[in-house]
Amino acid sequence: MGEEAGSISGESVSRTKRRKLKAILAGGLALGVGATITLAAWNDSEYAKGTFSAGTFGIEGSTDGTTYAEHPTAGSAAALAFSTGFDDISPGDVVAAPFAVRLTAATTYDATVTVASATPAPPAFVGLTYGIATVPTFADCDATPTTPTWIVTQGTPLTSVAGATSFNLTEGTPPTTPGAPAFLCFVVTAGPTLVQGTSVVQTWQLLAESV
């Protein structure tokens, strides 16, 4: 009986040790898993951003070559100063008016400019034709302009801009200095169909597009 008891007691002790060993090993495995999760949590980030701003664009005109202002609508159109006789014109007469245009000081682009529309009021008026030329200086505009480059051919009806060609404007030094001006010469000729006592208000649109 004593030996059997001793044997049983010894086996019991042995099983207890194995359970403790398994518990230690299990604990070790748990620590290993925990260490892996901790290492996987390491990370880093990098960020980048950009700021974008639109440019500025504007054109302005002058009827005297000195004082410039913007005339953005038909209702605010600049009144051209035609040569003597424009208010008492008869068939065969030719009158002219200079007009200077440039890009505003804040403009950050060059431009291409085209005569986009010509609108007489009343619209059915007849007896006058026109042409528009670029000239070297403001003073070079008269009934026979000096070295003209015709952007609208002489003899064009008041309602038409057919065949109009463009000219270029260059930006100045934004935001303080406007671009160099281009000088235009509007030449109007009275034809044989002009009716006595009639009058017309003619409006031209110069359309500038940034390039």
Side-chain angles (χ1 to χ4, degrees), residues 74-206:
S76 63
L80 297 177
F82 278 93
S83 52
T84 302
F86 78 95
D87 56 350
D88 190 25
I89 197 168
S90 60
D93 288 343
V94 181
V95 294
F99 190 59
V101 291
R102 70 185 184 185
L103 296 177
T104 60
T107 295
T108 54
Y109 305 94
D110 293 340
T112 297
V113 184
T114 304
V115 182
S117 67
T119 308
F125 187 88
V126 295
L128 298 178
T129 60
Y130 79 99
I132 303 173
T134 58
V135 290
T137 71
F138 199 81
D140 288 323
C141 178
D142 58 26
T144 55
T146 303
T147 59
T149 298
W150 293 98
I151 58 174
V152 177
T153 306
Q154 282 185 292
T156 299
L158 293 183
T159 55
S160 177
V161 293
T165 59
S166 61
F167 62 94
N168 298 321
L169 292 176
T170 303
E171 67 172 294
T173 307
T176 57
T177 306
F183 302 104
L184 305 180
C185 186
F186 292 73
V187 180
V188 175
T189 302
T193 59
L194 184 65
V195 178
Q196 293 185 49
T198 58
S199 63
V200 63
V201 176
Q202 176 73 5
T203 303
W204 289 279
Q205 178 192 12
L206 299 175

Side-chain angles (χ1 to χ4, degrees), residues 25 39 42 45 91 98 121 166-167 175:
L25 289 174
L39 291 174
W42 287 88
S45 298
S166 61
F167 62 94

